Amino acid sequence: MTRPGTRSGTTMNDVAAAAGVSQATVSLVLNEAAGTRFSEETRRRVHAAAHELGYRTNAHAKVLRDGVAGMIGFVGDFVATAPFAGKIIEGAQARAWEAGLLLLTVNTGGDKDLEAASLEAMLSYKVAGVVYAAMYHRVLDVPDVLAEVPAVVLNSRDRSGRFPSIAPQEELGGYTATKRLLDAGHRRIAMINIGAADAALPAAVGRHAGYLRALREHGLDADPRLHKIGDGNESGGFDNAVALMTGPQPPTALFCGNDRTAWGAYQALSQLGLSVPNDVSVVGFDNQETLAPHLRPGLTTLELPFLEMGRRAIELLLAGADRDGSTEYFECPLVERHSVAAPPEIAGNK
Amino acid sequence: MTRPGTRSGTTMNDVAAAAGVSQATVSLVLNEAAGTRFSEETRRRVHAAAHELGYRTNAHAKVLRDGVAGMIGFVGDFVATAPFAGKIIEGAQARAWEAGLLLLTVNTGGDKDLEAASLEAMLSYKVAGVVYAAMYHRVLDVPDVLAEVPAVVLNSRDRSGRFPSIAPQEELGGYTATKRLLDAGHRRIAMINIGAADAALPAAVGRHAGYLRALREHGLDADPRLHKIGDGNESGGFDNAVALMTGPQPPTALFCGNDRTAWGAYQALSQLGLSVPNDVSVVGFDNQETLAPHLRPGLTTLELPFLEMGRRAIELLLAGADRDGSTEYFECPLVERHSVAAPPEIAGNK
DNA sequence: CGGGGTTGCTAATTCGTATAACCCAGTCCC
DNA sequence: GGGACTGGGTTATACGAATTAGCAACCCCG
């Protein structure tokens, strides 16, 4: 029900006419411009007319004149299954809003044509900057066109080193996870990774490197047979957990490259009649909200600080200017639940 | 590296100067305006100059002149944990893009002030319409300001009946799920709901109504003790499944109000030493991508057609005009996996 | 009573694009 | 040889808001 007087086409000229003043007066009064004096009576009339007519400023006219828009572009290659996509966007949007900016989001799904076209559109809209976000941590090539505007790479690293990047501290995360298990007394700790650690997958490489460093610091030699390559999914966790636990010298603890993998491991252990954490301890990675707290027992895992990363991306954009192409790393804090205990030989004290 | 000649400030006037023609000529040539004739030579020079200077149209100037922007507002109350939020947005964005429109998204998290403010901002940007999306299916109050622009309510229904709404066909979904179990031979079928069926929660009410109708059509009386109220989460599924299976006359099949609930039920059945589907059949609801296919065995469930719903919302907006406030319901197709079998007394054939 | 200061407001211009209106030089036709 | 086309452009204006420069009217003061 569009009430009369609430028509979206009301302009400053309409308000001016209604208030019996000039358009300039309306602009100056409504924007409370500094250094101008208007009588109380005039101000009142302007505000009354504006309210009466349902005046709303035309953002495009404003942008056209002032040069820069109150929008930030957010381009992601997310697929909908990425459970944390929302977190990143939520963080980014919240921070943008604090600065009075809206987010123009596009989900490219990896389609390069769509990506190019939407970047063009965003630049046409004179966005104040662009966040180029990746679904999973990797090294990627950023479209050249982004050089025309402040840009930040989120959850990945820019190969060319032209843009500031934001990424999680994978190595420290892997170290923390493994150390947690070592501190609980475990010595045979397997890792089920989310991909080959020699591929260009910083999450797999880094988490594994941290795993190795923790073992080394405890004077342990890493047994290569305890490093399994999964697929980052439930089935990779399941299959590798079965292989590990039914093989010779099974581990007493599993460090899983992500929570989905850990879930698969849980299901495998359950089928093998092994209990978490009494028989086998498990640590995950990601702290996936829909998964980690609901596993039985609750999964001890590392949190990917996506909310903060999203916020920080906008922050960098706003700070703007002379940022170099360096990468800012975010720490992944340990989230303690109930999937880690002492290994059986210690707990059982036989 | 902003190359010279790629400055974002290039306007049509710059192109015109470079090509030695008027600004009007540039506009007419670049837009391939109908009914105008220019020599091949002129066209060539204009295109060359535009390319050389890296000209990009200023969308704001265009909108200012043409009146309507190539953007659609998308306001959601999602929390990041909503696993399907991405699906809805993906569908909406894809359809919008096909029409050459970008999505201006805001995640309000239920904050009414933020909601009001961002709607104001969107209207300032002269969006072609607004999709007002809800995280879960309910009846809600739409902000009055949306009356000023084409608007569609997504995954909920507008209480006032002013806006067209799009929602899933909950009742039919509940019917289909239950019928699947009846057809497999089950007669004692429990439902673990995702909330009280008398609350203003169409998902709970509708799915339960469908459950009752299916039973009735098969000439069965619904046993009220087999209808449990969960919390829509894993724990609700777990607790109620334990209660049902350890009580008198346990059911042979569980219809769970959503997949998370079904997951809880799986965990409970596993702990009770009961096998899915040999001892107990399970049907879920939502077809949550991160869950249903990865459960063991894969969960038979109903798909919430969020992608299509998102697409349809944009479609309605574009069709625009004289839509009334009626609700369009989307069918939830059955996704067959491996959690349904004949009940033991039949399968065992004793 | 004339000059300077203050109060309260307006006229005019700018941003970049689209388009309606018009203009000029040739050509054709009768 | 004059009117009617036609091809190939240009000029001028509008869109809506912000802002600079300036203009009347009044007051005060010497």
Side-chain angles (χ1 to χ4, degrees):
Chain A
M1 185 176 69
T2 302
R3 284 170 297 137
T6 312
R7 306 179 50 75
S8 70
T10 312
T11 86
M12 269 197 179
N13 282 302
D14 301 337
V15 175
V21 298
S22 73
Q23 175 263 326
T25 299
V26 175
S27 174
L28 293 171
V29 167
L30 290 185
N31 292 319
E32 296 171 347
T36 58
R37 330 74 13 139
F38 289 98
S39 66
E40 269 315 308
E41 166 62 11
T42 299
R43 305 183 110 86
R44 205 192 48 68
R45 285 219 313 281
V46 168
H47 280 117
H51 185 258
E52 173 69 20
L53 297 176
Y55 171 73
R56 177 158 32 233
T57 189
N58 181 322
H60 298 286
K62 187 180 238 154
V63 171
L64 177 57
R65 187 163 200 290
D66 299 356
V68 92
M71 297 191 297
I72 288 184
F74 188 106
V75 189
D77 64 351
F78 304 150
V79 283
T81 53
F84 38 80
K87 278 278 186 191
I88 292 189
I89 294 187
E90 190 179 337
Q93 185 230 301
R95 182 65 189 83
W97 182 252
E98 288 170 19
L101 302 170
L102 286 180
L103 228 51
L104 207 48
T105 57
V106 170
N107 182 325
T108 67
D111 178 338
K112 283 296 171 190
D113 288 340
L114 172 56
E115 176 179 292
S118 34
L119 283 174
E120 281 298 315
M122 287 178 174
L123 293 181
S124 278
Y125 277 110
K126 305 291 174 199
V127 290
V130 172
V131 177
Y132 191 80
M135 183 179 59
Y136 63 93
H137 186 173
R138 61 188 191 273
V139 176
L140 48 71
D141 294 303
V142 179
D144 283 342
V145 72
L146 281 183
E148 296 182 34
V149 81
V152 170
V153 175
L154 186 46
N155 198 33
S156 272
R157 269 168 37 227
D158 162 34
R159 191 191 317 279
S160 76
R162 287 179 297 176
F163 303 97
S165 305
I166 293 177
Q169 222 162 358
E170 311 284 9
E171 199 270 352
L172 181 57
Y175 175 84
T176 304
T178 310
K179 185 147 188 338
R180 174 68 183 87
L181 292 167
L182 287 163
D183 289 348
H186 293 273
R187 289 303 173 266
R188 275 193 75 72
I189 302 173
M191 174 171 188
I192 307 180
N193 213 334
I194 55 177
D198 57 346
L201 193 64
V205 178
R207 293 170 195 181
H208 184 239
Y211 161 78
L212 293 180
R213 179 161 66 92
L215 292 179
R216 212 165 42 239
E217 279 190 10
H218 273 250
L220 296 172
D221 285 332
D223 180 345
R225 289 167 306 178
L226 291 184
H227 180 222
K228 295 288 190 181
I229 310 296
D231 58 358
N233 234 316
E234 185 273 347
S235 63
F238 187 93
D239 296 344
N240 284 299
V242 168
L244 284 164
M245 301 314 297
T246 58
Q249 303 179 46
T252 62
L254 302 175
F255 167 34
C256 296
N258 65 13
D259 288 355
R260 299 164 71 101
T261 300
W263 180 28
Y266 265 59
Q267 304 210 45
L269 294 172
S270 170
Q271 288 201 6
L272 294 172
L274 295 168
S275 145
V276 178
N278 294 332
D279 298 320
V280 182
S281 289
V282 178
V283 173
F285 212 112
D286 286 0
N287 193 31
Q288 196 172 324
E289 274 190 32
T290 54
L291 204 51
H294 303 296
L295 286 168
R296 290 172 182 265
L299 178 65
T300 293
T301 187
L302 284 125
E303 162 118 13
L304 279 172
F306 282 126
L307 220 91
E308 290 75 13
M309 287 168 61
R311 294 189 65 86
R312 182 61 181 155
I314 301 296
E315 198 103 16
L316 283 182
L317 237 42
L318 296 176
D322 46 316
R323 284 266 318 165
D324 56 351
S326 66
T327 303
E328 201 166 297
Y329 291 100
F330 273 68
E331 186 175 341
C332 304
L334 183 74
V335 176
E336 193 69 56
R337 290 201 182 86
H338 310 99
S339 60
V340 177
E345 65 265 27
I346 292 180
N349 202 23
K350 299 186 183 169
Chain B
M1 185 177 69
T2 303
R3 284 170 298 136
T6 313
R7 305 180 50 75
S8 69
T10 311
T11 84
M12 270 197 180
N13 281 302
D14 301 336
V15 176
V21 298
S22 72
Q23 175 263 324
T25 299
V26 176
S27 174
L28 294 171
V29 167
L30 291 184
N31 292 320
E32 295 171 347
T36 58
R37 1 353 87 116
F38 290 99
S39 67
E40 269 315 309
E41 166 62 11
T42 298
R43 305 183 109 86
R44 203 193 49 68
R45 284 220 313 281
V46 168
H47 281 117
H51 186 257
E52 174 70 20
L53 297 175
Y55 171 73
R56 178 158 33 232
T57 187
N58 180 323
H60 299 286
K62 186 180 229 142
V63 172
L64 177 57
R65 187 166 200 289
D66 297 355
V68 93
M71 296 192 297
I72 288 184
F74 188 104
V75 188
D77 63 351
F78 305 150
V79 282
T81 52
F84 38 79
K87 278 280 187 191
I88 292 191
I89 295 187
E90 192 180 335
Q93 185 230 300
R95 183 63 188 84
W97 182 251
E98 287 170 19
L101 303 170
L102 287 180
L103 230 50
L104 207 47
T105 57
V106 170
N107 182 323
T108 67
D111 178 337
K112 284 297 171 189
D113 288 340
L114 172 56
E115 176 179 292
S118 32
L119 283 175
E120 280 298 315
M122 287 178 174
L123 293 181
S124 277
Y125 276 109
K126 304 289 173 201
V127 290
V130 172
V131 176
Y132 191 80
M135 184 177 60
Y136 62 93
H137 186 174
R138 61 186 190 275
V139 176
L140 47 71
D141 294 302
V142 179
D144 282 343
V145 71
L146 281 183
E148 297 182 34
V149 80
V152 170
V153 175
L154 186 47
N155 198 33
S156 272
R157 269 167 37 226
D158 162 34
R159 192 191 318 277
S160 76
R162 287 179 298 176
F163 303 98
S165 305
I166 293 177
Q169 222 163 358
E170 311 285 7
E171 199 269 352
L172 180 58
Y175 175 84
T176 305
T178 310
K179 185 145 187 347
R180 174 68 184 84
L181 292 168
L182 288 164
D183 289 349
H186 293 274
R187 289 301 172 265
R188 275 194 74 71
I189 302 173
M191 173 171 190
I192 307 179
N193 213 334
I194 56 176
D198 57 346
L201 193 65
V205 178
R207 292 169 195 181
H208 184 240
Y211 161 77
L212 293 179
R213 177 160 67 93
L215 292 180
R216 211 164 42 239
E217 279 190 10
H218 274 250
L220 295 172
D221 284 332
D223 181 344
R225 288 167 306 177
L226 291 184
H227 181 221
K228 295 290 190 180
I229 309 296
D231 58 358
N233 233 317
E234 186 273 346
S235 63
F238 188 92
D239 297 343
N240 284 300
V242 168
L244 284 164
M245 301 314 297
T246 59
Q249 304 178 46
T252 63
L254 301 176
F255 168 34
C256 296
N258 66 13
D259 289 355
R260 299 164 70 101
T261 299
W263 180 28
Y266 265 59
Q267 304 211 44
L269 294 171
S270 171
Q271 286 201 9
L272 294 172
L274 295 168
S275 146
V276 177
N278 295 333
D279 298 320
V280 182
S281 289
V282 178
V283 173
F285 211 113
D286 285 0
N287 193 30
Q288 196 171 324
E289 275 191 31
T290 54
L291 204 50
H294 302 297
L295 286 168
R296 288 168 185 268
L299 178 65
T300 293
T301 186
L302 284 125
E303 163 118 12
L304 278 173
F306 282 126
L307 220 92
E308 290 75 14
M309 287 169 60
R311 293 188 66 87
R312 182 61 182 156
I314 302 296
E315 198 104 15
L316 283 182
L317 236 42
L318 296 176
D322 46 317
R323 284 267 317 164
D324 56 350
S326 66
T327 303
E328 200 165 299
Y329 291 99
F330 272 68
E331 184 175 341
C332 303
L334 183 74
V335 176
E336 193 70 54
R337 292 204 180 87
H338 310 99
S339 60
V340 177
E345 64 265 30
I346 293 180
N349 202 23
K350 298 183 185 172

